[in-house]
Amino acid sequence: MPTIHHLLQIGKLLPSLEQALRDRYAVQRLIDAPDAHAFLAERGATFDAVVTSAAVGLSADQLEALPAVQVISSFGVGLDKLPVQAARERGIALGYTPDVLNDCVADTAFALLLAVARRVAEADRFVRAGHWARLGGNSFGLGRKVSGARLGVVGLGRIGQTIARRASGFDMPVRYHTRRPVAGVPWAHEPSLAALAAWCDFLVVITAGGPATHHLIGADVLQALGPQGFLVNVARGSVVDEQALVDALVLQRIAGAGLDVFANEPHVPEALQGLDNVVLLPHIASATHETRQAMAQRVLDNLAGFAAGTGLVSAA
Ligand code: NAP
Ligand code: 8YV
């Protein structure tokens, strides 16, 4: 029966998850090693389990320095920073935390959509700066109505479907784009991403990251979205050509954007920070007490399932 003797933790995790891991396993944190490379070269062969996160990941080189690893448990659903192929080839069990974060990521997509359309963050800055008190009346101006507007969803997986369901409460017609149509859903599949962008008022991006979706949203898609259209990205920064987005926003080729993710996190292009028609979040779509706790529990359950020989609860 598989068991776990020595567990390597790659980056920082929730303090409560770190404690729970220490309670159950002999844990070594890679971030505590003065030289991670030298540490892996010297001690890598002693670890049979790895815990990491979607944000920090595990490089193929790091995995190569861990020849005895049998299981990887990742905090998060994104696989773009994980050595999925190498793990598969070595027969390593790879656990992640799908589904438990669908609600919060969908909620955040709508928070961004509403915030950018109704100019919520901008209006808050307006009040705090004293402009309302000084100018009075209707001095702030108008936003864009959300209820009844057309929603285009790029990626209709677990989270994309949750976002599409949220839209019914706003009476929004929904269409989506994926490589393959999804069976049994009530929304129309649009095989052309540019056609979806041209049709919708709000384009929400929630595909997987990685090479298959790199710069899927480029200048052509933004052009199709048009000067009345808004972009929301809760997927990965890599899915959007960030320079093309900056250009489209600066030149008002699109109306605005709500962004939780960026190409080079935690760095956000300065050009975006100066724009009022953009709402910027520090990659917090899943960041609630409830959801992060559920993700932590799934990390533990995946490890426990592996160690008990019953298998991972969520295997990638
Ligand atoms: P999922 O169920 O695997 O869904 C992924 C969707 O992306 C599928 O509908 C897939 O459809 C579509 N897709 C993949 N490649 C595509 C392409 N080239 N063109 C068009 N569509 C494509 O994943 P999920 O659980 O919904 O999560 C989606 C992603 O959200 C994660 O991978 C992660 O990167 C991101 N995420 C972000 C946060 C955050 O904090 N901002 C939190 C959680 C997740 P086809 O394969 O048919 O094309
Ligand atoms: C997390 C995420 O914020 O699950 C994912 O893929 O992007 C987010 O839920 C984070 O990356 C966890 O490490």
Side-chain angles (χ1 to χ4, degrees):
M1 184 156 93
T3 187
I4 295 172
H5 297 291
H6 296 287
L7 185 148
L8 180 66
Q9 178 188 325
I10 304 300
K12 272 194 182 168
L13 297 165
L14 278 184
S16 59
L17 175 56
E18 293 202 9
Q19 185 58 54
L21 288 168
R22 281 195 299 273
D23 291 345
R24 290 163 175 76
Y25 309 106
V27 180
Q28 174 74 47
R29 303 194 321 169
L30 191 58
I31 40 171
D32 294 333
D35 179 341
H37 191 76
F39 175 86
L40 285 176
E42 195 183 315
R43 300 265 316 275
T46 61
F47 297 102
D48 44 21
V50 168
V51 169
T52 187
S53 63
V56 171
L58 178 73
S59 72
D61 285 352
Q62 285 174 325
L63 185 60
E64 217 176 299
L66 297 161
V69 161
Q70 304 287 320
V71 60
I72 300 166
S73 185
S74 181
F75 179 91
V77 70
L79 301 172
D80 47 309
K81 288 189 175 174
L82 293 170
V84 179
Q85 188 56 31
R88 203 162 285 153
E89 282 163 13
R90 276 176 51 183
I92 296 170
L94 176 56
Y96 69 149
T97 68
D99 290 316
V100 295
L101 40 59
N102 294 351
D103 280 337
C104 280
V105 180
D107 293 352
T108 304
F110 262 90
L112 280 169
L113 192 157
L114 286 160
V116 69
R118 300 301 310 274
R119 304 171 61 194
V120 172
E122 187 189 352
D124 179 88
R125 289 193 292 272
F126 182 84
V127 173
R128 288 171 197 264
H131 297 322
W132 192 30
R134 200 163 49 252
L135 300 168
N138 296 327
S139 49
F140 181 67
L142 308 177
R144 166 69 161 94
K145 182 175 177 182
V146 170
S147 290
R150 294 171 171 183
L151 178 68
V153 184
V154 188
L156 199 79
R158 292 167 291 242
I159 303 171
Q161 291 184 38
T162 311
I163 292 170
R165 282 197 300 275
R166 296 279 185 283
S168 66
F170 289 89
D171 302 320
M172 298 173 88
V174 176
R175 294 185 189 175
Y176 71 96
H177 169 78
T178 49
R179 291 168 298 182
R180 293 166 293 271
V182 179
V185 298
W187 311 291
H189 180 250
E190 177 48 78
S192 157
L193 176 51
L196 180 72
W199 170 80
C200 71
D201 302 301
F202 295 93
L203 189 67
V204 175
V205 184
I206 186 61
T207 64
T213 53
H214 183 75
H215 287 192
L216 190 64
I217 309 295
D220 52 337
V221 175
L222 297 169
Q223 180 82 28
L225 186 57
Q228 307 301 323
F230 293 85
L231 182 80
V232 170
N233 186 9
V234 284
R236 284 290 182 265
S238 60
V239 185
V240 174
D241 178 343
E242 207 165 66
Q243 190 52 55
L245 176 62
V246 168
D247 292 346
L249 286 162
V250 170
L251 299 171
Q252 296 179 4
R253 290 191 188 126
I254 67 169
L259 307 170
D260 184 49
V261 287
F262 301 88
N264 183 27
E265 294 176 8
H267 304 289
V268 175
E270 236 176 273
L272 289 181
Q273 299 185 41
L275 296 175
D276 266 336
N277 58 342
V278 179
V279 177
L280 305 166
L281 300 183
H283 199 146
I284 55 162
S286 69
T288 63
H289 293 294
E290 296 82 356
T291 287
R292 287 289 168 86
Q293 188 48 47
M295 291 163 69
Q297 190 58 51
R298 187 61 55 88
V299 167
L300 294 169
D301 291 347
N302 280 335
L303 290 170
F306 176 83
T310 51
L312 306 180
V313 178
S314 303

